[in-house]
Amino acid sequence: MSPTLTILSDEYAVQQPWSLRLTKQSSNEYRNARPYAASTTNLHDLSPEELVNMALTALQQAGIELVEWKTLLYRRMGVPLVVKDFHYLVPDEQLPLASRLIEEDQGLPRSVPPPLLLKTGGDFYAKASMYRVTRSTSVALAQHLVLYPASIAAFSPSDLEPQPRCLPGAVSLPDAVSETILVPKEPAVYASILRMMRSYPRYDPTRITLESDLSELIGYNLYGLEGGYLDVDDEDLCEELEVDRRIEDAVHKVEMWRMTNQLGDDEGWIADDLADVVSGRQTVEDIPWADAHH
């Protein structure tokens, strides 16, 4: 449930001591979910990568299974994203323990996103547990370790494999490269995104974000295009980049995933949807969506 802010009217605020006056949360700032000791701010003398590395190590030592997700996962798949936040999935039943360890033992403040982000980012903010790893609280500059209940992506154990933990700047963080983390296999990533897309209404902000994610992954990962996108009407460029061959190879890969059941797709619609988009027969916006009253 989203936190509720009580906003006092100006008339009431004038009549009360200044300490009782509450102001509406800025649309440009995260706020702390609760007060934190002044010593907590000393943590932010460390880099975001160092704080994330320390937190991940503590969680793994406590037996919490972490699954790499979103930005770091997409970078691993070849999408050249700038890492602002560090996203991980946690088994639903382990999420309360993970939150307690990060807040109480690691001392990272939990953030409440401003209403605008909740409105435009959908479940990627509403279902997120966000722990600030920068001193700044501004939407533009703040960075977070973000945990989600694993049920949001619904990977099965067979979808996951251990890989070296990879953080930006890991060259100076030995633990970040010596430790492993669970990483979804390539076909499982596409299957998860398509299942999620079908679970949201057409214009839901979560769905719109997923459409963008899928487009980037297809462009950089399946097509192998360095720019991710191109003007399909530019025939010379398409010929230079061998676009037809890239599309054929991508469709063939999807068909191989179908034949080897790597998409976890008993009914076949995941492979159909993905092949249709990869081949150009339909766009990501054409993938079926949930009823608006879902």
Side-chain angles (χ1 to χ4, degrees), residues 6 19 26 29 39 56 97 101 129 159 167 217 222 249 254 261 263 272 290 292:
T6 301
S19 59
S26 168
E29 301 281 337
S39 60
L56 296 182
L97 172 60
L101 289 173
S129 298
D159 291 334
L167 294 173
L217 283 168
L222 286 181
D249 289 348
V254 173
N261 198 31
L263 293 167
D272 289 343

Side-chain angles (χ1 to χ4, degrees), residues 65-254:
E65 289 190 346
L66 296 165
V67 177
E68 188 176 271
W69 202 43
K70 294 285 288 176
T71 304
L72 291 174
L73 173 60
Y74 298 163
R75 276 173 59 97
R76 195 183 288 265
M77 295 174 67
V79 183
L81 296 170
V82 174
V83 176
K84 186 173 185 290
D85 295 324
F86 306 81
H87 309 90
Y88 297 91
L89 301 168
V90 175
D92 293 36
E93 68 277 6
Q94 291 187 320
L95 195 54
L97 172 60
S99 296
R100 181 174 61 79
L101 289 173
I102 292 177
E103 283 195 87
E104 297 180 11
D105 293 4
Q106 297 298 305
L108 293 179
R110 182 167 179 171
S111 288
V112 177
L116 180 61
L117 287 184
L118 290 168
K119 183 176 180 179
T120 59
D123 279 352
F124 290 119
Y125 287 98
K127 293 189 175 182
S129 298
M130 307 184 69
Y131 303 94
R132 184 163 47 83
V133 292
T134 53
R135 183 168 281 108
S136 175
T137 60
S138 77
V139 168
L141 299 176
Q143 293 179 261
H144 292 85
L145 167 61
V146 188
L147 302 183
Y148 293 91
S151 57
I152 191 174
F155 292 115
S156 67
S158 62
D159 291 334
L160 309 172
E161 57 186 357
Q163 296 283 352
R165 202 166 76 201
C166 185
L167 294 173
V171 73
S172 61
L173 304 172
D175 289 346
V177 292
S178 62
E179 298 288 342
T180 61
I181 196 161
L182 292 174
V183 176
K185 298 174 184 176
E186 205 171 274
V189 175
Y190 288 99
S192 173
I193 290 174
L194 287 164
R195 284 194 299 265
M196 289 181 69
M197 286 177 65
R198 282 196 173 214
S199 71
Y200 290 96
R202 174 67 183 87
Y203 298 109
D204 185 278
T206 311
R207 157 90 187 201
I208 292 171
T209 300
L210 289 165
E211 289 176 359
S212 176
D213 291 350
L214 181 59
S215 292
E216 287 188 329
L217 283 168
I218 289 173
Y220 286 102
N221 176 258
L222 286 181
Y223 293 160
L225 293 169
E226 291 184 3
Y229 302 96
L230 55 79
D231 181 1
V232 295
D233 294 326
D234 188 335
E235 295 182 3
D236 291 338
L237 181 60
C238 288
E239 183 176 350
E240 178 185 343
L241 295 177
E242 301 181 277
V243 170
D244 289 342
R245 190 264 306 165
R246 291 174 186 270
I247 292 174
E248 288 178 8
D249 289 348
V251 171
H252 177 70
K253 177 179 277 192
V254 173

